[in-house]
Amino acid sequence: SDNPEVQRALAAADVTLSDLMFAAGDQQASMPFARAAVRQFGAIFEADKGNSGKARDYAQSANNVGGKALRMGMLSEALSMFRSSEATLRPVATKPDSEVGPILDLARTLSGLGETLEKSDQKDQARASYQEARQLLEQAAQKEKDNDEAAEGLAEVLVKSARFSREGGEVGTAVKDADKAVELLRKLVARPEGRSDYRRQLAMALTLKGELARSQKKAELARECFEEAVGMWNSYGRLAGLRPEEEIELERLKAIVNR
């Protein structure tokens, strides 16, 4: 069909199928569907480049492929996808009157780009990407108070930045970022309508905070963080189930707490 709505529906179905396959562990087989969606959304966008909604569709599908490629260690493809998404979103998201949606999309793109650059050993560019993502998320939070997506995205970038700073020996900066991420995620978890995934993210942020406390010889704070992280993993597991690697992480933390 030449109908853009039909084409869009097919591309969206490819994204969903790819996500389900990837989550089920069939990662390699999921990628052709994700790439097909990028091509389809790209063709729709090329036919109507002035349409911001179609630009976001394409950018989000590129981020989807980039994120999967990053998790699979295919850094070249991830870098290409995130760069393409960035080029598409930046003209829309950086307008003074931009809505929150494109700003969040660009921030997520830069967060993924930063992680890809970090793993590609391009440290300076990774730092700049993380910093801009943080600025955009703070801007989105100011534009729209109590926006859960902005808070979640900011927490994710803060955790990435904290790990980056820790590896670079900037422990003080890492501690501040980890503390802020934990604060944001605790608020999200406490909301009645909060998603179960917030518990998983809080568990990871608490683990990082605990590791940083342990490196500073703050044993009691480290134990408190690890104990709370165990509680969050258990709570998340009851709600959503744990993947094998998450079960391994939970057992690792239990062993630390029980020493």
Side-chain angles (χ1 to χ4, degrees):
S1 173
D2 293 331
N3 186 324
E5 289 305 311
V6 175
Q7 294 172 346
R8 184 182 185 281
L10 175 59
D14 280 340
V15 170
T16 303
L17 181 57
S18 174
D19 287 349
L20 289 168
M21 294 173 71
F22 197 91
D26 204 356
Q27 298 180 343
Q28 287 288 353
S30 78
M31 293 301 285
F33 293 98
R35 292 170 183 140
V38 170
R39 290 193 296 271
Q40 189 62 67
F41 279 126
I44 294 169
F45 173 53
E46 283 293 326
D48 189 7
K49 281 210 165 183
N51 189 306
S52 60
K54 293 175 182 178
R56 288 189 67 192
D57 281 345
Y58 169 66
Q60 288 171 354
S61 67
N63 282 347
N64 185 280
V65 173
K68 289 181 171 69
L70 176 60
R71 285 181 61 183
M72 295 171 68
M74 299 186 296
L75 300 182
S76 179
E77 182 172 14
L79 189 61
S80 174
M81 287 290 100
F82 287 130
R83 287 293 194 200
S84 182
S85 179
E86 178 190 9
T88 303
L89 288 168
R90 190 172 289 283
V92 179
T94 54
K95 289 180 179 178
D97 60 345
S98 173
E99 295 180 354
V100 168
I103 295 173
L104 292 174
D105 286 343
L106 180 56
R108 279 189 285 267
T109 300
L110 291 169
S111 176
L113 177 61
E115 188 174 351
T116 307
L117 290 166
E118 182 181 351
K119 289 184 177 180
S120 302
D121 205 30
Q122 300 180 57
K123 304 298 185 183
D124 290 342
Q125 291 184 53
R127 184 188 298 276
S129 193
Y130 285 145
Q131 288 175 343
E132 187 179 2
R134 180 173 181 169
Q135 291 166 359
L136 287 167
L137 289 160
E138 289 170 345
Q139 178 186 340
Q142 289 174 355
K143 276 180 170 280
E144 198 170 286
K145 302 297 182 184
D146 297 322
N147 185 303
D148 287 357
E149 283 189 73
E152 180 189 13
L154 181 55
E156 182 182 351
V157 169
L158 285 167
V159 168
K160 290 180 180 180
S161 296
R163 288 173 178 155
F164 183 85
S165 296
R166 179 183 62 178
E167 290 174 9
E170 302 172 58
V171 177
T173 301
V175 168
K176 289 179 182 178
D177 286 347
D179 284 348
K180 181 63 175 176
V182 167
E183 178 188 341
L184 288 167
L185 288 165
R186 278 181 177 150
K187 289 179 181 177
L188 289 173
V189 167
R191 293 188 182 177
E193 70 282 6
R195 294 186 359 241
S196 61
D197 196 52
Y198 296 151
R199 288 168 170 77
R200 180 184 63 83
Q201 292 171 289
L202 178 54
M204 292 189 292
L206 285 163
T207 300
L208 175 60
K209 182 175 177 177
E211 290 168 349
L212 288 165
R214 190 163 57 174
S215 73
Q216 294 181 302
K217 311 300 183 186
K218 298 179 180 179
E220 187 58 33
L221 175 59
R223 172 172 288 276
E224 290 173 1
C225 290
F226 292 139
E227 287 177 347
E228 189 179 353
V230 167
M232 281 298 111
W233 275 123
N234 283 329
S235 176
Y236 173 70
R238 287 191 296 271
L239 291 168
L242 295 175
R243 294 194 293 267
E245 64 269 22
E246 293 169 342
E247 291 177 351
I248 292 170
E249 174 64 5
L250 174 56
E251 292 306 314
R252 183 184 75 87
L253 290 172
K254 285 180 179 178
I256 293 172
V257 169
N258 293 328
R259 280 175 189 165

